[in-house]
Amino acid sequence: MPALLDVKTLTVNYGKSEALRGVSVQVGQETIVTLIGANGAGKTTLLKTISGIKKAASGEIWFQDERIDNRSPQDIVRLGIAHIPEGRRPFTEMTVLDNLELGAYLRTNKEEITRDLEDIYRHFPILKERRNQRSASLSGGEQQMLATARALMAKPKLLLMDEPSLGLSPILVDEIGRIISDINKRGVSIILVEQNAQMALELASHAYVLELGRIVIQGRAAELADNEEVRKAYLGF
């Protein structure tokens, strides 16, 4: 089966500096792939380039056999890729419901949107409870749920998640891990950038390790979790 997403020898620059150098990544249908690496390794840059926020200097990005590295961020969302950036970033002056409806702004079938909103409320009951509150009033964990739910309202085939557990308590980290797993079981593929490398490797089927803009190790996530170099550098033992 062809890959859902195929990133081919991608190079991305910030001014005269190379943020990514010849990076190739594949994501299969209904899989979780994780990107591991230190701050500045290029993980966030890769997500931004896939979603069209950042343009590549060279290389290609293919999604469902269609080249997308020359497409606008809006087109990429329409094709089925949703991006949850680091820091959650809900529209804080808007209500929870307004944020969720904004996630579906490129969709036109109102009946489907209504059904998906009810599905979101079943999946995240706290958001239904707080739907008329300003999103600024939500806790960090609730804001992460809102950011995830808003992205799901776009009905993505691929979800890009950048540090979803950042700043959350251990209990909420476990909850976010469960949510990621549940989303994947519903048929959505995920690229996960996560500071909690142990959780990321437990959730993912495949992993890539980036250092200074290059992929230095890749393979099955379970194998990388047992790799001595990876364990010392990213798992702390």
Side-chain angles (χ1 to χ4, degrees):
M1 182 181 294
L4 178 69
L5 179 81
D6 195 359
V7 177
K8 302 179 179 181
T9 58
L10 201 67
T11 295
V12 180
N13 299 329
Y14 282 100
K16 295 182 179 180
S17 300
E18 285 186 326
L20 295 174
R21 288 175 278 179
V23 167
S24 296
V25 168
Q26 287 192 331
V27 181
Q29 301 278 354
E30 301 181 12
T31 60
I32 300 177
V33 167
T34 187
L35 309 176
I36 294 173
N39 289 338
K43 306 182 301 296
T44 293
T45 297
L46 179 54
L47 296 191
K48 287 182 175 180
T49 308
I50 293 169
S51 63
I53 298 169
K54 183 72 180 168
K55 294 302 179 184
S58 63
E60 300 177 359
I61 304 174
W62 292 77
F63 180 68
Q64 292 189 312
D65 296 324
E66 182 174 350
R67 188 169 176 182
I68 65 168
D69 50 276
N70 55 353
R71 305 291 290 268
S72 70
Q74 181 170 307
D75 284 345
I76 290 170
V77 172
R78 187 178 287 110
L79 288 170
I81 298 177
H83 185 180
I84 306 174
E86 181 182 348
R88 299 179 277 276
R89 301 180 191 175
F91 295 96
T92 54
E93 297 306 309
M94 296 170 64
T95 66
V96 168
L97 176 58
D98 287 340
N99 270 270
L100 293 172
E101 291 178 337
L102 189 61
Y105 78 104
L106 290 176
R107 299 172 58 187
T108 56
N109 189 317
K110 292 183 179 180
E111 289 184 2
E112 278 192 4
I113 292 171
T114 299
R115 284 199 300 269
D116 288 346
L117 183 60
E118 289 304 314
D119 188 48
I120 287 292
Y121 285 153
R122 284 192 294 272
H123 203 68
F124 302 98
I126 191 65
L127 298 183
K128 183 174 185 178
E129 182 180 323
R130 304 193 190 286
R131 62 188 180 277
N132 295 319
Q133 292 182 213
R134 286 172 53 245
S135 61
S137 69
L138 302 182
S139 68
E142 291 164 350
Q143 287 190 7
Q144 182 60 59
M145 291 179 195
L146 177 57
T148 303
R150 185 179 64 194
L152 290 174
M153 285 298 293
K155 215 170 181 63
K157 300 178 183 71
L158 175 63
L159 190 59
L160 313 178
M161 304 188 76
D162 196 351
E163 301 286 10
S165 78
L166 188 65
L168 301 182
S169 69
I171 291 175
L172 286 175
V173 169
D174 289 342
E175 176 69 5
I176 292 300
R178 183 191 63 77
I179 289 169
I180 292 169
S181 180
D182 286 350
I183 291 169
N184 177 242
K185 289 174 183 175
R186 295 164 66 185
V188 180
S189 292
I190 297 170
I191 300 181
L192 176 62
V193 170
E194 174 54 56
Q195 61 170 351
N196 186 331
Q198 185 169 348
M199 180 182 79
L201 290 171
E202 289 173 356
L203 290 170
S205 58
H206 199 87
Y208 295 84
V209 178
L210 278 79
E211 289 183 5
L212 300 176
R214 292 184 182 275
I215 292 173
V216 293
I217 306 173
Q218 65 165 297
R220 290 179 57 241
E223 292 175 353
L224 264 64
D226 288 333
N227 180 292
E228 186 175 354
E229 184 179 343
V230 172
R231 287 167 62 128
K232 287 181 178 178
Y234 303 108
L235 302 181
F237 57 88

